[in-house]
Amino acid sequence: MTIELKTQTEREQRLEYPTPLALSLVVPVYNEAETVRIFVEQVERVFSDPKDVTVEYVFVNDGSTDGTLELLLLLQREMPRLKVIDLSRNFGKEAALSAGLSCATGQVVVPIDVDLQDPPEIILQMIDKWRDGYEVVLGRRSDRSSDSWAKRASANWFYRIHNRIADPAIPENVGDFRLMDRQVVDALNDLPESRRFMKGLFAWVGFRTTCIDYSRAERVAGTSKFNGWRLWNFALEGITSFSTDPLRIWTYIGITVSLVSFLFAATIVLKVLFTGIDVPGYASLMVTISFLGGLQLIGIGVLGEYLGRTYLESKRRPVYLVRRIYSQD
């Protein structure tokens, strides 16, 4: 598939796009009944003054069990511009985000979390950057003091490791919150893979990109659905999606272990020749066997990660299943 960038003439035509500008907000939700109404009210306040922007809400209900869907349908009666995509079960945020992008119809699309940690006010600045000719405008977190120390530290290490071994690099301290031109969204929707690490896909498609810094706020209500275990699996997904270096590393580990074993064997031979027969103790033997066995199991685990991804991709199952789309259109 070939995706051609816009020429300068096309950019100028886009900057003269007739008003009002159609903006789609893609909002994945999972058990967020406490925050949905607060989020919508805040967005409505932000866009009450600009008359040259119309907002389409694309909520993706990712298998919620707490009344989130009922609340969204109630809000839809008051706001015809609100669309609800109800997935058949909980597929995870990456799948829900993909579902929202496929149904968003706006000229510009912004994925945003419902917890208001990413301020909707920044979208107005993003639109100004888009009018300047950028296809992607990233929201970069300059202040993450609202996150725990463990979350900030693990995020920093993830970005460092991922960007050292994977291509393309992911911008640091940038989440899903960003503005994308219609052309970018169409390119993302055309990607065929079913195991989707969206931050990597956002970076992979490229396009002309800039950043806007903002301070990350506290959640307005509710609790985060990401725990340490899910974040760890998310990091593994990201690294194995865009890098084969973990496989290559085990080649070098094998060479290193073999070299150390050869040197150890040479040491024993020399010791026997000059000092007599030396019988190693059971402790050193058990340590050696355990060490090599552990290395082998880790190596098999790394191979299993990639083999498992290949197996799942080969099934060609859809990324998500939609139970129903609720729309006033």
Side-chain angles (χ1 to χ4, degrees):
M1 179 183 65
T2 302
I3 302 173
E4 297 180 357
L5 294 176
K6 294 179 179 178
T7 65
Q8 184 61 32
T9 302
E10 289 172 319
R11 285 199 181 96
E12 291 171 355
Q13 291 174 351
R14 189 194 67 190
L15 298 182
E16 297 173 358
Y17 191 79
T19 57
L21 173 66
L23 164 68
S24 293
L25 298 181
V26 175
V27 193
V29 287
Y30 174 64
N31 291 343
E32 293 285 0
E34 297 178 60
T35 57
V36 166
R37 185 174 289 276
I38 301 173
F39 170 82
V40 171
E41 291 174 352
Q42 178 64 20
V43 173
E44 288 296 292
R45 281 194 293 269
V46 170
F47 289 95
S48 60
D49 290 334
K51 305 303 181 185
D52 59 345
V53 179
T54 60
V55 181
E56 174 194 48
Y57 296 87
V58 183
F59 281 93
V60 184
N61 180 44
D62 190 22
S64 298
T65 58
D66 68 339
T68 298
L69 176 61
E70 290 75 11
L71 178 57
L72 288 172
L73 296 180
L74 183 63
L75 286 171
Q76 190 182 60
R77 298 176 187 174
E78 307 168 11
M79 304 175 61
R81 294 174 285 112
L82 192 148
K83 182 185 298 183
V84 182
I85 304 169
D86 186 27
L87 302 186
S88 62
R89 64 171 177 83
N90 178 248
F91 285 89
K93 186 180 180 182
E94 306 298 281
L97 190 55
S98 298
L101 291 177
S102 67
C103 292
T105 61
Q107 174 65 12
V108 293
V109 179
V110 176
I112 185 171
D113 290 338
V114 75
D115 56 19
L116 289 177
Q117 287 192 284
D118 303 321
E121 297 84 359
I122 301 297
I123 299 175
L124 296 176
Q125 300 178 39
M126 291 178 169
I127 291 175
D128 290 338
K129 290 291 186 181
W130 176 81
R131 294 190 190 278
D132 288 338
Y134 292 99
E135 283 103 359
V136 180
V137 185
L138 307 176
R140 183 168 56 195
R141 304 158 183 170
S142 59
D143 181 7
R144 300 188 61 174
S145 56
S146 60
D147 293 334
S148 66
W149 175 87
K151 189 172 182 179
R152 294 197 305 270
S154 60
N156 289 334
W157 276 107
F158 167 74
Y159 286 121
R160 290 179 184 177
I161 295 173
H162 182 279
N163 291 343
R164 183 175 293 273
I165 68 175
D167 184 48
I170 297 176
E172 294 190 22
N173 294 317
V174 173
D176 298 325
F177 183 47
R178 65 193 64 211
L179 180 145
M180 295 176 289
D181 181 73
R182 180 78 253 166
Q183 186 182 21
V184 180
V185 176
D186 290 342
L188 287 167
N189 290 334
D190 285 340
L191 297 179
E193 58 221 75
S194 57
R195 301 283 292 185
R196 299 170 75 86
F197 176 64
M198 295 306 296
K199 288 184 180 64
L201 295 181
F202 288 147
W204 185 88
V205 296
F207 292 90
R208 193 178 181 198
T209 304
T210 189
C211 293
I212 293 179
D213 293 331
Y214 70 97
S215 296
R216 188 166 169 82
E218 298 278 355
R219 285 183 62 99
V220 292
T223 57
S224 173
K225 308 307 183 291
F226 275 93
N227 54 33
W229 179 247
R230 292 187 67 182
L231 288 172
W232 168 254
N233 288 326
F234 186 66
L236 285 180
E237 185 79 16
I239 291 174
T240 54
S241 292
F242 287 88
S243 176
T244 58
D245 279 9
L247 291 173
R248 189 176 297 114
I249 287 171
W250 286 99
T251 300
Y252 296 104
I253 291 177
I255 293 173
T256 302
V257 171
S258 298
L259 181 60
V260 171
S261 300
F262 175 79
L263 293 175
F264 182 62
T267 301
I268 292 177
V269 170
L270 293 174
K271 199 170 183 180
V272 170
L273 291 177
F274 290 101
T275 64
I277 297 176
D278 178 45
V279 179
Y282 285 106
S284 60
L285 185 62
M286 290 302 298
V287 168
T288 301
I289 293 174
S290 300
F291 174 71
L292 292 177
L295 284 181
Q296 291 172 344
L297 290 175
I298 294 173
I300 292 172
V302 172
L303 287 172
E305 284 288 332
Y306 285 92
L307 183 61
R309 291 186 62 84
T310 304
Y311 170 67
L312 293 173
E313 288 288 346
S314 68
K315 291 184 175 183
R316 308 311 303 158
R317 287 177 179 168
V319 181
Y320 55 85
L321 292 177
V322 176
R323 190 181 73 85
R324 185 174 176 183
I325 296 179
Y326 299 88
S327 177
Q328 299 283 352
D329 297 339

